[in-house]
Amino acid sequence: MGTGNNVPLTFEMLKSDAWNALKSTQRDVLIDWYQGYVRLSRWDYEPLEEGMTYTYAQCKVTIREATFLAAIKRILEVGFFVRAIHLESGRPGSPRKFLPSKKWLDFRFSDKEKAKRKAYADAKERRLDEKRKRRESFRSSLPEKKEPPISVPTRPTESVPIRKGGTPKKCADTLQESSNSHHQEACRSYRLTYGSTDSDVPTTERAESAQDVAGVLAQGPGQAD
């Protein structure tokens, strides 16, 4: 059975005809049986000189007793355990004794069983092939998905703000309108026309009325009194 601290279910065993000859419930019983064996044999390091018992009361798998007895019979047939009659007491009603075995390595399916399993494998392959063909047919019937054209993003044109005369470092579109903006514009035009305040600019002191101021402005620079 080998050595180690695990239940001896090797890849060789799982691929063997003996393992595949067991039904799912029978495999559960075998694993439970092996667990009892590794405990008694100190993880398969000490031989069982007196053999071991394995009864329905010891089985931890929840199954009927008839199913348990059928599983024991099949496990013995494929060779994972053998009955150790020479270790039994021979008294009526005494428990049976068992020992682990490697006879499962020599177990082979019969020709009839091989043919039946091959038929199952062929049917499975046909079924999978039909599914693949239906899937490919469905995909080919779908309209071809067109990828959207790749558009290169363009940088938006920047509008250059127009600078306003007489206001360096300030743009016209950033100037804030104020209540005295028109008054400041009038003063600039007045200074450009008449020069500095030292020139002969009419003032309210020299004009006797608003009409006099308008008349003096109409004469132009240098003609005022």
Side-chain angles (χ1 to χ4, degrees), residues 13-170:
M13 180 184 296
L14 298 178
K15 293 179 180 179
S16 66
D17 288 353
W19 175 265
N20 288 284
L22 300 177
K23 297 179 180 179
S24 58
T25 304
Q26 296 170 352
R27 293 173 183 176
D28 293 340
V29 173
L30 175 61
I31 292 173
D32 183 65
W33 197 346
Y34 269 138
Q35 288 177 337
Y37 163 74
V38 294
R39 286 194 300 268
L40 294 174
S41 63
R42 304 290 181 181
W43 305 106
D44 202 20
Y45 280 105
E46 297 181 5
L48 299 180
E49 296 180 355
E50 298 181 358
M52 65 174 296
T53 60
Y54 186 64
T55 62
Y56 181 64
Q58 294 173 304
C59 179
K60 296 181 178 60
V61 183
T62 306
I63 54 177
R64 296 181 303 173
E65 186 174 7
T67 306
F68 169 78
L69 295 176
I72 294 297
K73 179 181 179 181
R74 186 56 172 165
I75 291 171
L76 295 175
E77 288 176 354
V78 299
F80 287 109
F81 281 88
V82 294
R83 184 178 175 184
I85 301 177
H86 62 285
L87 297 177
E88 296 176 1
S89 65
R91 291 177 298 178
S94 61
R96 294 179 178 181
K97 296 292 185 70
F98 302 98
L99 288 173
S101 172
K102 289 187 177 181
K103 290 183 178 181
W104 60 269
L105 291 169
D106 301 325
F107 179 83
R108 295 293 182 271
F109 287 123
S110 64
D111 293 339
K112 183 179 179 179
E113 184 67 21
K114 287 180 180 178
K116 184 173 68 174
R117 289 180 174 272
K118 187 179 184 305
Y120 290 156
D122 293 342
K124 177 181 178 181
E125 185 60 30
R126 288 194 300 269
R127 179 64 175 167
L128 294 176
D129 188 60
E130 291 174 359
K131 287 186 176 181
R132 284 192 294 265
K133 290 180 179 179
R134 286 201 302 267
R135 184 165 54 248
E136 291 174 0
S137 177
F138 173 74
R139 290 176 178 175
S140 61
S141 65
L142 295 176
E144 184 179 356
K145 184 178 180 182
K146 297 182 179 180
E147 296 292 337
I150 301 176
S151 58
V152 180
T154 57
R155 185 176 180 181
T157 56
E158 298 180 356
S159 58
V160 180
I162 302 175
R163 295 182 180 275
K164 201 168 185 179
T167 58
K169 298 183 181 180
K170 288 186 178 295

